[in-house]
Amino acid sequence: MSLIDRHVGFVRALREAGIPVSVAEGLDAAHALRVIELSERESLRAAYAATLVKKPAYRPGFDVLFDLWFPASTSGMHAERAERPIDLETAPVPELRDHLARLLTGGGDQELREFAQAMVGRFGHQPAATPGRQNWFSYSVMRALSPETLMARILQNVLQGQERGGLAERNARRTVYDNTRRFEEAVATDVRRRIAEDSGIERIARSAVRPPLDQIDFLRITKADLARLRREVHPLARRLATRLTIKQRKGRRGRLDFRRTVRASLQSGGVPLTTHFRPPRPHKPELVVLCDTSDSVSSFAHFTLLLTYALREQFTKVRAFGFVDTVDEITRFFVPGADVVEALTRLTTEADMVRFGRTNYGHSLERFAERYGDAVGPRTSLLILGDARSNYQPPALDVLRSLVGRSRHAYWLNPEPVAQWDTGDSVASEYGAVVPMHECRNVAQLTAFIETLA
Amino acid sequence: MFDSPAEVAERLAAVDYLSDDAISTSVFLAAALGKPLLVEGPAGVGKTQLAKAVALATGAELIRLQCYEGLDEARALYEWNYKKQLLRIQATSADDDIFSEEFLLERPLLKAIRAPGPTVLLIDETDKADVEVEGLLLELLSDFQITIPELGTIAATRRPYVVLTSNATRELSEALKRRCLYLHLEYPTPERERDIVLSQVPGIRADLAERLARTVATLRALELKKAPSVAETVDWANTLLALGRDDLDEATVAGTLGVVLKHASDQARAVKELGLPDVADR
């Protein structure tokens, strides 16, 4: 494959994986290729990243594709190896595990990658159904070496009689954990490279790249994604808070400061050239969040609770309410500085949100208006999060209408795709007629929603 | 400006900025392709410091535009000197041209464009500015020129090296990002952070720097309100040196935690998670 074909194929693969690369950016990358040393692989990777990837969420996908299109080495073409204490081709497994343990406590990146490649070569292949072909797997490498079980031994070596449970152990655990992840990643990369050599890059590329974090559906989110999402949500909450504040401030410059204006005019012979204003009084937005915490939206609920938690730290006054078929105030679980995981666990055990266990929007709204109606006032923004699926119970539209009427703004975020609204027991458009409803299935859409608030 | 990424790394290291492959390649490409460099990442990873280091390493003048909410054309680009214009009108006949160079007040962007020598233009915390400012920057960033209605277009005599920084509290517009090279800076790896500490704090022992870097990495992995920045790690190293401690044990960490963690809740959290002795007990 010539360099230009490789470049074009790579850019096309990025686009297919959901990473937007404009024509101008593709050209920039091509220009960059002319000025950097192509044999320096990390430099090449950095050049492509600088010109094509303009959002951190796209980086993992980019790295997977880069490793496929510009592999570190190809099978059968090994560079001269550095001196190594053991022979990776023949050494028995316990020795390999010892070597891995050393690498995990502080080996170089290069060494770790080479070791991963050698291990994939030794343990990663299994004969395929069609004779003459091989399948490559990460899990057989992991099963042979099981790096997870090395932790106890490594800790013993590193700590060497120091007290357990302290700072030193914590630090060592962190290092080993990080390096184990790196090792797993290196193995997976090499497995993908070998598959690509056997069956073509394009085929493996399509299945290897997961959608970027901001396009993952809230309803289909995995545990690992959630942990990463937590980091994304904080800046978003901050942004949402500033948006709602700015909206109040626009168009109000504050009152004219007459004295200052006159005093300043003395410099220009009594002509008031510059006008001075009193600073506007900062508006303190209040937020009431009502979120559906039922099982049908549990991943979404998890996310909304994270959002609530993050908002809690940004707004001066946030009250959060959770509901399934009855409603309870959950603000108390989110005291500033509290542990979010702890809060979520306590929330599920202590809060009183469930009567019969089937989502009932109508009843929840009625109870909300009855018990906490005074939470919503002319200074409040009301944010409702849920899929509007009410198990065919009466929706209590009037109650919602009066709540919305009393609030300053109201928004509804729905985690379902628009196409599924109004199917089955969804009453999305009925609620949507009262409160503007936005589809919010992923971080990208949430970001877009926050942008529209401006 | 530079011949290769390796040279960038070398010259940045000469002014005490330790780079890695991604940093040196991006800095090199920005110079070689003549494009602005957008540096994004959490607070305190050395984004602003990078711009300063580039200026220092190349002997260029650093012009800085600090962005904030409400920043406008008059403070970013240029302004007319109204008072001088008024005096001129009063002093002479009214048909004198009062829109000329003489009455123009340079602001950072215009200054960077017109600077005769090598210049590094740092547009700091771009995400803090309003969306309108981005529009203002577009002409500058793609064509290196500025249009002043009364005077015409002023093109750069010599292209400044532009660095934009952002904490990503707000998504910058596609149009802006398309014009820039993008560098995402994360907290350094413990190995790199150790080297940074060693280069910034002369006289510190290597094993202490190592332990410091590992501890900071552990702290960052906790879910804190504000993760310790690189500058704070360096502060910590200086603190330990000043206190004459040459070991980082639990008691020392607990006693000096305030140097790196600036929220009471973060400190409480670190004490709990790392099993540190309670400061109040001591």
Side-chain angles (χ1 to χ4, degrees), chain A residues 166-214:
Chain A
L167 184 62
E169 177 178 344
R170 189 74 206 208
N171 282 346
R173 268 184 196 280
R174 179 87 235 146
T175 313
V176 174
Y177 178 82
D178 285 347
N179 285 338
T180 311
R181 291 287 92 74
R182 261 164 58 198
F183 177 67
E184 276 175 10
E185 196 42 53
V187 167
T189 304
D190 198 52
V191 164
R192 280 194 294 265
R193 175 182 67 80
R194 285 172 198 259
I195 298 176
E197 273 185 4
D198 289 348
S199 51
I201 300 175
E202 272 90 354
R203 268 189 55 200
I204 173 77
R206 234 158 270 148
S207 56
V209 184
R210 297 177 20 76
L213 186 61
D214 65 347

Side-chain angles (χ1 to χ4, degrees), chain B residues 160-207:
Chain B
Y161 186 99
V162 186
V163 179
L164 298 94
T165 73
S166 156
N167 288 338
T169 51
R170 172 169 74 79
E171 194 73 51
L172 298 176
S173 73
E174 291 293 319
L176 183 79
K177 282 191 167 179
R178 209 164 45 233
R179 283 166 173 76
C180 300
L181 297 181
Y182 183 85
L183 172 64
H184 184 77
L185 273 190
E186 264 304 326
Y187 292 114
T189 58
E191 293 80 29
R192 209 182 128 221
E193 188 152 27
R194 175 198 63 207
D195 294 342
I196 291 174
V197 168
L198 284 176
S199 78
Q200 300 274 328
V201 187
I204 195 164
R205 282 213 332 259
D207 61 326

